[in-house]
Amino acid sequence: MSLKRREFLELAAATAAMSMVGLRAARAQSADVIRVGIAATGPRTSDPNQTTQGGDNWATEQMYEQLVRPEDGTFATTPDQYVPTLATEWTTSPDAKTWTFKLRQGVQFHKGYGEMTSDDVVFSFKRAIKEGTNTTILSNIADVVAKGPYEVDIQLKTPDVNLLGTSIFCNNTSIVSKKAFDKIGAEKFATDAVGTGPYELTRFDNQWGVAMKRHEGYWDTKNKAKIASAECVYIADTTARTLALLSGDVDMIEAVRAPGWVDSMLQRDSTLKFDMTAPGSFNTLHVNLNRKPFDNLKVRQAIMYAVDRHAVADALKPMGGFTAGLQPDFFPAGFKTEDLPPELQYNYDPDKAKALLAEAGFPNGFDFDSNCSQREDYSSIMLIVQEQLRAVGMRMNLHIGDHTAYHADNHMDKNTLALHSSSYPPIPTQLYFQQLSTKSEVKADGKGGINYSHYGVAMPGIDGLLDKALQSTDFKSYVDYCKQIELQVLRDLPLIGMSTLSFTVARNARVNLGYDVKSGYARWRFHRATKTA
């Protein structure tokens, strides 16, 4: 039998993949271990206060818990959708500045570190506020105070009607054992942190991954992990990761979010299952208002009519999704196209785009340069945009390069149309603050934020409305102000919502997660999962 070159390369990659996981292959067929292939080179930390990469969060999701959380496989889009976890109930003051949580009694930490109490909650929050990786959002917390062993007050500097989503259901505010931290020290805690989740850490290997076993003393006896062991194995190479799944060495892998990937996988194995979050990442296009002629509103409107955003979303299907504004229509501040004023619907109309360019003084169009990341999701979208802009006379010279260098250049204000991909919960002010507020304006020295359009500085922005939203003491007022922001951004067009892109996992049909993945962060829990041998 002869091998074609492509088959040879795939076989070599498969061999490499099998070599990477070594003897684990023999255990892979066991129904008592669930293994996920992570698209990264290795774990950085098991400390939920310190995680910065999505891969680490797959493991921390199994080992740690917060005071509240949404139902598995979803985002909570309104405050009433959060369910009790380590807290059993909570109340908020009329000014939305003091939140009181009653803690669940009898919750046991891993490895015999005893019962969780308010001391652990206070310790976890204060540590996250002081030295975690999400200090900006947590900076609104003025103090965390124990009111006895099973009750905690969280006092805020300004109101936050979305505290459950912004700060409580947050990886960085997962509750860890103060007793364990004091005993083993900060350095070792990075690879041996102790939580209350359905799985506990048994092995941390920065060359291989993270192994966990079922927490036999888990407080929620009805949801005690059904599979005895869980492993997060790091396989950065796409081909190796794919073949590890097809060979049965891993049960699930993080997907390649590019056009055609799901179809190509199904051609290899039609029994595979795909779990996708909606919306996943928000792909936004920043229009640099300091670059001519993009300071001209008619030019920005021409972009909106020239780019068929439905076509962009369709090209990324089944992972891609359309947004009429910046937020998906099922998020609190989102709009459906038909609910927008007609002048803000921007239905695809290349003739109208050409007319607007002529009115702006560019009857023959113009040329400009722009940068793009080589990562599949970035380059796929921007190549479509390039072709659609060219059709109306906006000739974009697209420079595609290294992903890390691309972001570094964006942070130094070196781009014209900068595509950005971020994931957000249904807390719209987080996107507005990070990508549109004056406080987040990009700086040429790299010390600014990711407001690459200079909105609010080059032209009036949404800072006033954003302040009102953040000062709201009831959820309805908050959503009303956010909807006003959506409309103002569609009038000014400093930022264009290009598409959403689901986080996707390909799963062996032998594994049943025990729930459907509908939305949420790029990680999901294994405690309800079952597996056939």
Side-chain angles (χ1 to χ4, degrees):
M1 181 180 69
S2 63
L3 285 176
K4 295 179 181 178
R5 182 175 184 276
R6 179 179 176 183
E7 293 170 332
F8 173 79
L9 292 173
E10 289 185 348
L11 179 61
T15 302
M18 297 299 288
S19 174
M20 290 171 66
V21 292
L23 296 176
R24 296 189 313 279
R27 291 182 286 143
Q29 304 307 317
S30 168
D32 236 7
V33 59
I34 182 171
R35 184 178 301 142
V36 56
I38 303 295
T41 54
R44 293 184 64 254
T45 179
S46 68
D47 182 347
N49 280 174
Q50 301 298 325
T51 59
T52 56
Q53 65 171 358
D56 287 341
N57 294 334
W58 275 97
T60 60
E61 184 75 2
Q62 321 305 325
M63 296 187 287
Y64 306 96
E65 296 172 304
Q66 301 81 26
L67 299 182
V68 305
R69 62 178 297 118
E71 293 285 359
D72 288 333
T74 68
F75 265 136
T77 55
T78 56
D80 61 304
Q81 293 179 2
Y82 287 93
V83 298
T85 309
L86 296 182
T88 56
E89 56 184 289
W90 50 91
T91 58
T92 181
S93 61
D95 63 2
K97 292 175 66 175
T98 299
W99 290 67
T100 300
F101 294 86
K102 291 189 176 179
L103 305 182
R104 188 178 301 280
Q105 298 185 31
V107 175
Q108 297 296 315
F109 280 110
H110 304 155
K111 304 179 182 178
Y113 278 99
E115 184 183 18
M116 177 205 70
T117 69
S118 53
D119 285 345
D120 300 295
V121 176
V122 171
F123 168 77
S124 299
F125 270 86
K126 288 193 171 183
R127 183 164 163 266
I129 293 166
K130 181 180 179 181
E131 56 191 43
T133 53
N134 202 10
T135 55
T136 301
I137 290 175
L138 299 179
S139 65
N140 189 39
I141 298 177
D143 203 359
V144 183
V145 180
K147 297 173 64 179
Y150 302 111
E151 187 169 315
V152 171
D153 269 356
I154 295 182
Q155 299 164 356
L156 306 181
K157 299 171 185 173
T158 61
D160 186 355
V161 296
N162 276 316
L163 183 75
L164 301 181
T166 60
S167 306
I168 305 301
F169 179 58
C170 171
N171 197 50
N172 296 122
T173 54
S174 298
I175 307 304
V176 300
S177 167
K178 179 179 184 300
K179 184 178 179 181
F181 183 89
D182 290 343
K183 180 178 180 180
I184 69 177
E187 182 177 354
K188 190 174 180 183
F189 207 64
T191 58
D192 195 20
V194 175
T196 64
Y199 285 97
E200 67 177 64
L201 181 67
T202 56
R203 178 189 176 194
F204 183 94
D205 183 335
N206 58 16
Q207 299 296 315
W208 169 74
V210 177
M212 298 158 280
K213 69 176 184 180
R214 180 168 49 219
H215 177 26
E216 299 295 347
Y218 188 52
W219 60 270
D220 186 355
T221 54
K222 292 181 180 178
N223 285 303
K224 193 172 177 179
K226 294 178 173 58
I227 297 177
S229 302
E231 296 179 353
C232 297
V233 181
Y234 284 67
I235 310 174
D237 181 80
T238 299
T239 302
R241 198 167 66 252
T242 299
L243 292 171
L245 174 66
L246 296 175
S247 69
D249 192 66
V250 300
D251 302 295
M252 306 160 57
I253 60 169
E254 290 186 303
V256 178
R257 296 190 294 162
W261 188 83
V262 170
D263 289 341
S264 70
M265 290 295 289
L266 286 172
Q267 288 175 4
R268 294 180 175 208
D269 183 349
S270 62
T271 68
L272 290 175
K273 306 295 182 183
F274 294 87
D275 303 301
M276 298 183 190
T277 62
S281 298
F282 290 57
N283 296 307
T284 48
L285 187 68
H286 294 246
V287 184
N288 194 328
L289 301 171
N290 283 346
R291 301 282 178 92
K292 291 185 178 300
F294 298 100
D295 57 337
N296 188 320
L297 176 60
K298 290 186 184 298
V299 172
R300 301 197 297 277
Q301 290 172 332
I303 294 174
M304 284 295 276
Y305 285 112
V307 175
D308 185 348
R309 290 174 294 142
H310 281 288
V312 173
D314 288 347
L316 297 166
K317 278 187 174 180
M319 304 182 199
F322 174 79
T323 57
L326 298 176
Q327 305 284 334
D329 59 26
F330 59 93
F331 272 25
F335 285 93
K336 294 181 179 178
T337 299
E338 57 268 29
D339 295 331
L340 290 168
E343 71 275 14
L344 300 183
Q345 292 184 4
Y346 298 107
N347 293 311
Y348 176 57
D349 189 341
D351 290 336
K352 194 165 186 175
K354 291 178 183 177
L356 282 163
L357 286 179
E359 290 176 27
F362 301 98
N364 298 315
F366 58 86
D367 298 85
F368 68 101
D369 293 323
S370 201
N371 302 327
C372 177
S373 164
Q374 65 183 5
R375 207 175 79 178
E376 295 93 341
D377 50 343
Y378 281 75
S379 57
S380 298
I381 292 172
M382 287 303 287
L383 286 169
I384 296 171
V385 170
Q386 181 188 40
E387 288 305 308
Q388 294 186 338
L389 292 182
R390 190 198 312 276
V392 302
M394 288 187 274
R395 297 172 292 274
M396 177 166 61
N397 302 311
L398 194 60
H399 305 282
I400 299 177
D402 174 74
H403 186 69
T404 301
Y406 168 75
H407 280 295
D409 284 346
N410 284 345
H411 275 285
M412 299 181 76
D413 196 21
K414 293 183 179 179
N415 211 348
T416 305
L417 298 181
L419 187 71
H420 186 81
S421 175
S422 287
S423 61
Y424 291 98
I427 312 293
T429 44
Q430 290 190 5
L431 185 154
Y432 304 149
F433 180 82
Q434 288 187 334
Q435 301 197 34
L436 289 164
S437 75
T438 301
K439 293 178 181 176
S440 298
E441 184 197 16
V442 65
K443 306 290 186 185
D445 62 3
K447 295 181 179 178
I450 60 171
N451 174 1
Y452 301 136
S453 67
H454 300 273
Y455 193 43
V457 180
M459 64 182 291
I462 48 82
D463 291 333
L465 285 171
L466 180 57
D467 286 343
K468 289 179 179 178
L470 293 172
Q471 293 292 330
S472 298
T473 57
D474 65 273
F475 190 67
K476 181 180 181 306
S477 298
Y478 173 86
V479 173
D480 286 346
Y481 285 123
C482 290
K483 283 183 173 287
Q484 291 182 50
I485 290 173
E486 288 283 313
L487 294 174
Q488 183 166 331
V489 172
L490 284 170
R491 284 193 292 270
D492 296 338
L493 298 176
L495 186 65
I496 297 171
M498 292 304 302
S499 73
T500 60
L501 191 59
S502 299
F503 292 111
T504 302
V505 165
R507 168 168 52 90
N508 190 305
R510 292 184 296 124
V511 171
N512 183 336
L513 288 176
Y515 58 89
D516 293 329
V517 174
K518 299 175 182 175
S519 61
Y521 291 109
R523 57 187 188 270
W524 31 90
R525 300 174 101 190
F526 295 152
H527 65 129
R528 294 183 180 176
T530 56
K531 179 180 175 183
T532 56

